[in-house]
Coordinates of all heavy atoms in Angstrom, one line a residue:
Q30 N 82.1 12.9 -75.8 CA 82.0 12.5 -74.4 C 83.0 13.3 -73.5 O 82.7 13.8 -72.4 CB 82.3 11.0 -74.2 CG 81.2 10.1 -74.7 CD 81.5 8.7 -74.5 OE1 82.5 8.2 -75.1 NE2 80.8 7.9 -73.7
V31 N 84.2 13.5 -74.1 CA 85.2 14.3 -73.4 C 84.7 15.8 -73.2 O 84.8 16.3 -72.1 CB 86.6 14.3 -74.1 CG1 87.5 15.3 -73.5 CG2 87.1 12.9 -74.1
L32 N 84.2 16.3 -74.3 CA 83.7 17.7 -74.2 C 82.6 17.9 -73.2 O 82.5 18.9 -72.4 CB 83.3 18.2 -75.6 CG 84.4 18.3 -76.6 CD1 83.9 18.5 -78.0 CD2 85.4 19.5 -76.2
A33 N 81.6 16.9 -73.2 CA 80.5 17.0 -72.3 C 81.0 16.9 -70.8 O 80.5 17.6 -69.9 CB 79.5 15.9 -72.6
A34 N 82.0 16.1 -70.6 CA 82.5 15.9 -69.2 C 83.2 17.2 -68.8 O 83.0 17.7 -67.7 CB 83.6 14.8 -69.2
M35 N 83.9 17.9 -69.7 CA 84.7 19.1 -69.4 C 83.7 20.3 -69.2 O 83.8 21.0 -68.2 CB 85.6 19.5 -70.5 CG 86.8 18.6 -70.7 SD 87.6 19.0 -72.2 CE 88.0 20.7 -72.0
Y36 N 82.9 20.5 -70.2 CA 82.1 21.7 -70.2 C 80.7 21.7 -69.7 O 80.1 22.7 -69.3 CB 82.1 22.3 -71.7 CG 83.4 22.7 -72.2 CD1 84.0 22.0 -73.3 CD2 84.2 23.6 -71.6 CE1 85.2 22.4 -73.8 CE2 85.5 24.0 -72.0 CZ 86.0 23.4 -73.2 OH 87.2 23.7 -73.6
K37 N 80.1 20.5 -69.6 CA 78.8 20.4 -69.0 C 78.9 19.9 -67.6 O 78.4 20.5 -66.7 CB 77.9 19.4 -69.9 CG 77.9 19.7 -71.4 CD 77.4 21.1 -71.8 CE 77.5 21.4 -73.3 NZ 77.8 22.7 -73.7
R38 N 79.5 18.7 -67.4 CA 79.6 18.2 -66.0 C 80.8 18.8 -65.2 O 80.8 18.7 -64.0 CB 79.8 16.7 -66.1 CG 78.6 16.0 -66.7 CD 78.5 14.5 -66.3 NE 79.7 13.7 -66.4 CZ 80.1 13.2 -67.6 NH1 79.4 13.4 -68.7 NH2 81.2 12.5 -67.7
R39 N 81.7 19.5 -65.9 CA 82.8 20.2 -65.3 C 83.7 19.3 -64.4 O 84.0 19.6 -63.3 CB 82.2 21.4 -64.4 CG 81.4 22.4 -65.2 CD 82.3 23.1 -66.2 NE 81.5 23.9 -67.1 CZ 81.3 25.2 -66.9 NH1 81.8 25.8 -65.9 NH2 80.5 25.9 -67.7
V40 N 84.1 18.2 -65.0 CA 85.0 17.4 -64.2 C 86.4 18.1 -64.2 O 86.7 18.9 -65.1 CB 85.2 16.0 -64.8 CG1 83.8 15.3 -64.9 CG2 85.9 16.0 -66.2
A41 N 87.2 17.8 -63.2 CA 88.5 18.4 -63.1 C 89.6 17.7 -63.7 O 90.7 18.2 -63.9 CB 88.8 18.7 -61.6
S42 N 89.4 16.4 -64.0 CA 90.5 15.6 -64.6 C 89.9 14.5 -65.5 O 88.7 14.1 -65.3 CB 91.4 15.0 -63.6 OG 90.7 14.0 -62.9
A43 N 90.8 13.9 -66.3 CA 90.3 12.8 -67.2 C 89.9 11.6 -66.4 O 89.1 10.8 -66.8 CB 91.4 12.5 -68.2
E45 N 88.1 11.5 -64.0 CA 86.7 11.6 -63.6 C 85.7 11.4 -64.8 O 84.5 11.4 -64.6 CB 86.4 12.9 -63.0 CG 87.0 13.2 -61.6 CD 87.0 14.6 -61.2 OE1 85.9 15.2 -61.2 OE2 88.0 15.2 -61.0
M46 N 86.3 11.1 -66.0 CA 85.4 10.9 -67.1 C 85.1 9.4 -67.2 O 85.5 8.6 -68.0 CB 86.2 11.3 -68.4 CG 86.5 12.8 -68.4 SD 87.4 13.3 -69.9 CE 87.8 15.0 -69.5
V62 N 92.8 19.2 -67.9 CA 91.6 19.8 -68.5 C 91.9 21.2 -68.8 O 91.6 21.7 -69.9 CB 90.4 19.7 -67.5 CG1 89.2 20.6 -68.0 CG2 89.9 18.2 -67.4
H63 N 92.5 21.9 -67.9 CA 93.0 23.3 -68.3 C 94.2 23.6 -67.5 O 94.6 22.9 -66.5 CB 91.9 24.3 -68.0 CG 91.5 24.6 -66.6 ND1 92.4 25.3 -65.8 CD2 90.5 24.3 -65.8 CE1 91.9 25.4 -64.6 NE2 90.7 24.8 -64.6
L111 N 82.2 38.3 -65.9 CA 83.6 38.0 -65.6 C 84.5 38.8 -66.5 O 84.3 38.9 -67.7 CB 83.8 36.5 -65.9 CG 85.2 36.0 -65.3 CD1 85.1 36.0 -63.8 CD2 85.4 34.5 -65.8
V143 N 90.2 30.6 -72.0 CA 89.0 29.8 -71.7 C 89.0 29.3 -70.3 O 87.9 29.4 -69.6 CB 88.9 28.5 -72.7 CG1 87.8 27.6 -72.2 CG2 88.7 28.9 -74.1
A144 N 90.1 28.9 -69.8 CA 90.2 28.4 -68.4 C 89.9 29.4 -67.3 O 89.5 29.0 -66.2 CB 91.6 27.8 -68.2
Q145 N 90.0 30.7 -67.6 CA 89.6 31.6 -66.6 C 88.2 31.5 -66.3 O 87.8 31.6 -65.1 CB 89.9 33.1 -67.1 CG 91.4 33.3 -67.3 CD 91.7 34.7 -67.9 OE1 91.3 35.7 -67.4 NE2 92.4 34.7 -69.1
V146 N 87.3 31.2 -67.2 CA 85.9 31.0 -67.0 C 85.7 29.7 -66.2 O 85.0 29.7 -65.2 CB 85.1 31.0 -68.3 CG1 83.6 30.8 -68.0 CG2 85.4 32.2 -69.1
L147 N 86.3 28.6 -66.7 CA 86.2 27.3 -66.0 C 86.6 27.4 -64.6 O 85.9 26.9 -63.6 CB 87.0 26.2 -66.7 CG 86.5 25.8 -68.1 CD1 87.5 24.8 -68.8 CD2 85.1 25.1 -67.9
A148 N 87.8 28.0 -64.3 CA 88.4 28.0 -63.0 C 87.6 28.9 -62.1 O 87.3 28.5 -60.9 CB 89.8 28.5 -63.1
V149 N 87.2 30.1 -62.5 CA 86.4 31.0 -61.6 C 85.0 30.3 -61.3 O 84.6 30.4 -60.2 CB 86.2 32.4 -62.2 CG1 85.2 33.2 -61.4 CG2 87.6 33.1 -62.2
E150 N 84.4 29.7 -62.3 CA 83.1 29.1 -62.0 C 83.2 28.0 -61.0 O 82.4 27.8 -60.2 CB 82.5 28.6 -63.3 CG 82.0 29.8 -64.2 CD 81.1 29.3 -65.4 OE1 81.2 28.1 -65.8 OE2 80.4 30.2 -65.9
A151 N 84.3 27.3 -61.1 CA 84.5 26.2 -60.1 C 84.8 26.8 -58.7 O 84.2 26.3 -57.7 CB 85.7 25.3 -60.5
L152 N 85.6 27.8 -58.6 CA 86.0 28.4 -57.3 C 84.8 29.1 -56.7 O 84.6 29.1 -55.5 CB 87.1 29.4 -57.5 CG 88.5 28.8 -57.8 CD1 89.5 29.9 -58.3 CD2 89.1 28.1 -56.6
A153 N 84.0 29.8 -57.5 CA 82.9 30.6 -57.0 C 81.6 29.8 -56.9 O 80.6 30.2 -56.4 CB 82.7 31.8 -57.9
D154 N 81.6 28.6 -57.5 CA 80.5 27.7 -57.6 C 79.3 28.4 -58.1 O 78.2 28.4 -57.6 CB 80.2 27.2 -56.2 CG 79.2 26.0 -56.3 OD1 79.2 25.3 -57.3 OD2 78.5 25.8 -55.3
E155 N 79.5 29.2 -59.2 CA 78.3 29.7 -59.9 C 78.7 30.0 -61.4 O 79.8 29.9 -61.8 CB 77.9 31.0 -59.3 CG 79.0 32.1 -59.2 CD 78.5 33.3 -58.5 OE1 77.5 33.9 -58.9 OE2 79.0 33.7 -57.4
R156 N 77.7 30.2 -62.2 CA 77.9 30.4 -63.6 C 77.9 31.9 -63.9 O 77.3 32.7 -63.3 CB 76.7 29.7 -64.4 CG 76.7 28.2 -64.3 CD 78.0 27.7 -65.0 NE 78.3 26.3 -64.6 CZ 78.0 25.2 -65.2 NH1 77.3 25.2 -66.3 NH2 78.4 24.0 -64.7
V157 N 78.7 32.1 -65.0 CA 78.9 33.5 -65.4 C 78.1 33.7 -66.7 O 78.1 32.8 -67.5 CB 80.4 33.6 -65.8 CG1 80.7 34.8 -66.7 CG2 81.3 33.7 -64.5
Q158 N 77.4 34.8 -66.8 CA 76.6 35.0 -68.0 C 77.2 35.9 -69.0 O 76.8 35.9 -70.2 CB 75.2 35.5 -67.6 CG 74.3 34.4 -67.0 CD 74.4 34.4 -65.5 OE1 75.1 35.2 -64.9 NE2 73.7 33.5 -64.9
I181 N 85.5 28.5 -78.7 CA 85.3 27.5 -77.6 C 84.3 28.0 -76.6 O 83.4 27.3 -76.1 CB 86.6 27.1 -77.0 CG1 87.5 26.5 -78.0 CG2 86.4 26.2 -75.8 CD1 89.0 26.3 -77.5
L182 N 84.4 29.3 -76.2 CA 83.5 29.9 -75.2 C 82.0 29.9 -75.7 O 81.1 29.7 -75.0 CB 83.9 31.3 -74.9 CG 85.2 31.4 -74.1 CD1 85.8 32.8 -74.1 CD2 85.0 30.9 -72.6
A184 N 80.7 27.9 -78.4 CA 80.2 26.7 -79.1 C 79.2 25.9 -78.3 O 79.3 25.9 -77.0 CB 81.4 25.8 -79.4
W186 N 79.1 22.8 -78.0 CA 79.9 21.8 -77.3 C 80.8 22.3 -76.3 O 81.5 21.6 -75.6 CB 80.6 20.9 -78.4 CG 81.4 21.7 -79.3 CD1 81.1 22.0 -80.6 CD2 82.7 22.4 -79.1 NE1 82.0 22.8 -81.2 CE2 83.0 23.0 -80.3 CE3 83.6 22.5 -78.0 CZ2 84.2 23.8 -80.5 CZ3 84.7 23.2 -78.2 CH2 85.0 23.9 -79.4
G187 N 80.9 23.6 -76.2 CA 81.8 24.3 -75.3 C 81.0 24.9 -74.1 O 80.1 24.3 -73.5
L188 N 81.4 26.2 -73.9 CA 80.8 26.9 -72.7 C 79.4 27.5 -73.0 O 78.7 28.0 -72.1 CB 81.7 27.9 -72.1 CG 82.8 27.2 -71.2 CD1 84.1 27.9 -71.3 CD2 82.3 27.1 -69.8
E189 N 79.1 27.6 -74.3 CA 77.7 28.1 -74.7 C 77.4 29.5 -74.1 O 76.3 29.8 -73.7 CB 76.6 27.1 -74.2 CG 76.5 25.9 -75.1 CD 75.3 25.1 -74.7 OE1 75.3 24.4 -73.7 OE2 74.3 25.2 -75.5
I190 N 78.4 30.4 -74.1 CA 78.1 31.7 -73.7 C 77.8 32.5 -75.0 O 78.5 32.5 -76.0 CB 79.4 32.4 -73.1 CG1 79.7 31.6 -71.8 CG2 79.1 33.8 -72.8 CD1 81.0 32.0 -71.1

Side-chain angles (χ1 to χ4, degrees):
Q30 285 180 300
V31 171
L32 294 169
M35 290 170 59
Y36 295 120
K37 312 299 178 213
R38 298 204 306 283
R39 303 294 173 93
V40 305
S42 73
E45 293 167 55
M46 300 180 185
V62 167
H63 72 68
L111 194 67
V143 171
Q145 293 173 60
V146 182
L147 287 173
V149 169
E150 288 191 340
L152 289 167
D154 195 26
E155 57 182 301
R156 291 294 157 98
V157 161
Q158 286 92 3
I181 297 170
L182 290 165
W186 49 259
L188 280 146
E189 282 189 285
I190 298 173

